[in-house]
Amino acid sequence: MLTLHHLNHSRSFRILWLLCELNEQYGTTYQLICHERTKNHLAPKEMADIHPMGKAPILVDSTRGQTLVESGFIIEYLLRYYDKEGKLSPTDDTWEDFAFWLHFSESTMMPPLVMRLIMDKVATKSPIFVRPIAKAIASKVETLVICDTIAQSFGLLNEHLANRLWIAGDFTGADIQAYFAVKALQSRGGLDGWVCLQQWLDRCQSRQGYQRAIEQGGQIFV
Ligand SMILES: N[C@@H](CCC(=O)N[C@@H](CS)C(=O)NCC(=O)O)C(=O)O
């Protein structure tokens, strides 16, 4: 039995989407437990009772006695043990693209987005008498670090998708992993000029598995 602990507006959408795709392909069943973010936008304490990291996603596989965290790892795990006919997995020829984008999405594309979120919070929520200084620091970090990293990394994926429909051959878990980062940037109005990314997002969103994941887990970003 697979149980996904899902947190609203979070990376656990990736795993829900993959479970929906596996369900379509093989009838794989799963239980979905939805947790709500606290008023500080954090995961609720009960998630730390399931895994010490206390963050989403958490997948419990009771058949294999595993409690898993880290979305890229969970995607690889589900493909290895549950994608029996390799319908959502890379082939030997596309494995490099698959592995590269699976890792790159979380280790290079996500960090500047998270940093931007934190800097925005620092600038708007710091005590009023230091707020102008906080805003100036946030703006410096934005121009010195965040903007360039976003332009380089998302630009690279845009270029990669210029002559392909999906990231690694046919649709795979790498598309699911990267989708979250690209959607996060788009939800803040940042995809201007990246036509291939926009078209790929549309292709992802037209999949039935994606639509069922949205029905079950709610919109990814508000
Ligand atoms: N690299 C981890 C990141 C896990 C993570 O930070 N999850 C966020 C959701 S997007 C979370 O649970 N945040 C709530 C918190 O930190 O309390 C992954 O890809 O699974």
Side-chain angles (χ1 to χ4, degrees):
M1 174 56 142
L2 293 167
T3 303
L4 173 64
H5 290 271
H6 173 60
L7 182 67
N8 56 321
H9 313 308
S10 87
R11 287 165 171 89
S12 51
F13 175 80
R14 288 168 167 159
I15 310 306
L16 179 55
W17 181 6
L18 180 52
L19 288 169
C20 290
E21 297 277 351
L22 287 168
N23 176 267
E24 261 186 42
Q25 298 292 344
Y26 306 104
T28 310
T29 54
Y30 56 90
Q31 185 190 9
L32 179 64
I33 299 182
C34 295
H35 301 266
E36 286 293 315
R37 285 183 184 271
T38 65
K39 65 175 178 356
N40 292 325
H41 214 62
L42 297 174
K45 292 226 171 0
E46 78 239 18
M47 290 194 80
D49 297 336
I50 305 153
H51 188 283
M53 280 305 292
K55 292 183 188 297
I58 305 175
L59 183 78
V60 180
D61 182 350
S62 56
T63 312
R64 303 194 70 257
Q66 301 279 350
T67 298
L68 313 162
V69 294
E70 200 57 48
S71 49
F73 169 59
I74 299 175
I75 287 173
E76 287 205 71
Y77 176 95
L78 284 172
L79 294 181
R80 184 179 181 114
Y81 293 108
Y82 291 89
D83 185 19
K84 300 174 198 99
E85 294 168 26
K87 293 177 177 171
L88 305 162
S89 301
T91 61
D92 286 349
D93 289 343
T94 57
W95 178 83
E96 273 93 347
D97 277 339
F98 171 84
F100 172 76
W101 290 103
L102 192 80
H103 292 286
F104 189 77
S105 302
E106 192 59 23
S107 5
T108 301
M109 295 169 87
M110 283 304 293
L113 302 181
V114 175
M115 204 187 291
R116 179 181 273 173
L117 207 70
I118 293 168
M119 281 296 152
D120 282 355
K121 286 230 153 61
V122 168
T124 54
K125 301 255 177 271
S126 51
I128 194 119
F129 53 92
V130 291
R131 205 167 291 165
I133 299 169
K135 279 188 176 165
I137 294 171
S139 153
K140 203 83 187 152
V141 173
E142 173 75 25
T143 46
L144 282 180
V145 187
I146 299 177
C147 277
D148 280 356
T149 318
I150 288 178
Q152 288 160 340
S153 55
F154 287 79
L156 202 63
L157 181 55
N158 187 61
E159 211 177 291
H160 181 72
L161 287 167
N163 53 3
R164 341 172 136 69
L165 291 180
W166 303 110
I167 285 179
D170 286 336
F171 176 83
T172 65
D175 294 286
I176 291 179
Q177 178 81 338
Y179 176 87
F180 186 86
V182 177
K183 188 69 186 172
L185 185 62
Q186 187 206 40
S187 73
R188 294 177 146 242
L191 280 193
D192 276 359
W194 282 323
V195 178
C196 304
L197 285 184
Q198 185 56 65
Q199 290 169 344
W200 168 78
L201 279 187
D202 293 342
R203 281 195 290 281
C204 288
Q205 287 162 192
S206 69
R207 293 185 69 87
Q208 223 176 338
Y210 172 92
Q211 287 158 19
R212 284 184 45 217
I214 292 283
E215 277 161 31
Q216 292 173 26
Q219 285 300 328
I220 314 174
F221 299 105
V222 276

